[in-house]
Amino acid sequence: MAAPSPAQSCEDFAEFQELLRVMRTIDDRIVHELNTTIPTASFVGKIDASQTCRELYESLMDAHTSRERIIKNCIAQTSSVVKTLREEREKAQDDVALLKQLRKEQTKLKLMQSELNVEEVVNDRSWKVFS
């Protein structure tokens, strides 16, 4: 199964969360990654620890940057949808379906905004372990 594209993931919050879960794999496995990156005494001469450590650092940075970009992009897209729905709601005060859609999008926006806080916690934990 191919991963959903970031643009598609903004439409459905479950897909959005799944995409983030998959992208957080490197953070979830940081201890394992460090254990396999730092050579044991018998492999010290065969593996360049500083190079592999630098590569892991760059992978973490790339993962954190791309996740933050996706989250902020989805927040911007959903904010735009909410704004449009609010404008439509101003014109059609009696439209119950429109109100339900607006509430649904507002809830999705709040959940996406809360993912920024989750991302901060995940990143902090990874950097503490990495250090």
Side-chain angles (χ1 to χ4, degrees):
M1 179 171 105
S5 74
Q8 291 173 328
S9 299
C10 295
E11 298 293 321
D12 181 11
F13 187 72
E15 281 183 25
F16 173 76
Q17 282 189 308
E18 178 63 16
L19 177 64
L20 291 178
R21 185 190 67 75
V22 169
M23 292 180 75
R24 287 180 176 143
T25 302
I26 189 170
D27 293 273
D28 294 340
R29 298 189 53 188
I30 188 69
V31 172
H32 172 73
E33 293 291 331
L34 285 170
N35 286 340
T36 57
T37 299
I38 301 169
T40 59
S42 60
F43 287 100
V44 169
K46 299 175 185 173
I47 298 174
D48 182 5
S50 64
Q51 176 65 28
T52 53
C53 192
R54 188 175 319 118
E55 289 170 2
L56 179 58
Y57 174 83
E58 290 170 3
S59 294
L60 268 176
M61 285 296 294
D62 290 344
H64 293 176
T65 302
S66 62
R67 285 195 314 256
E68 183 179 357
R69 186 177 60 248
I70 288 170
I71 293 169
K72 288 182 177 180
N73 182 36
C74 284
I75 288 172
Q77 285 182 26
T78 306
S79 293
S80 177
V81 170
V82 167
K83 182 181 178 201
T84 303
L85 289 172
R86 278 189 182 141
E87 290 168 357
E88 290 176 21
R89 176 80 175 130
E90 292 289 321
K91 297 173 189 167
Q93 296 273 330
D94 298 334
D95 190 345
V96 176
L98 187 60
L99 177 62
K100 285 183 180 180
Q101 181 66 24
L102 175 61
R103 295 289 182 242
K104 179 182 169 191
E105 291 297 320
Q106 286 173 328
T107 300
K108 183 170 74 169
L109 178 60
K110 288 176 187 170
L111 292 171
M112 286 179 173
Q113 289 169 333
S114 72
E115 282 298 325
L116 282 175
N117 295 330
V118 172
E119 188 64 19
E120 185 178 334
V121 170
V122 169
N123 293 353
D124 286 347
R125 188 197 71 170
S126 293
W127 290 124
K128 284 178 184 173
V129 170
F130 186 84
S131 295

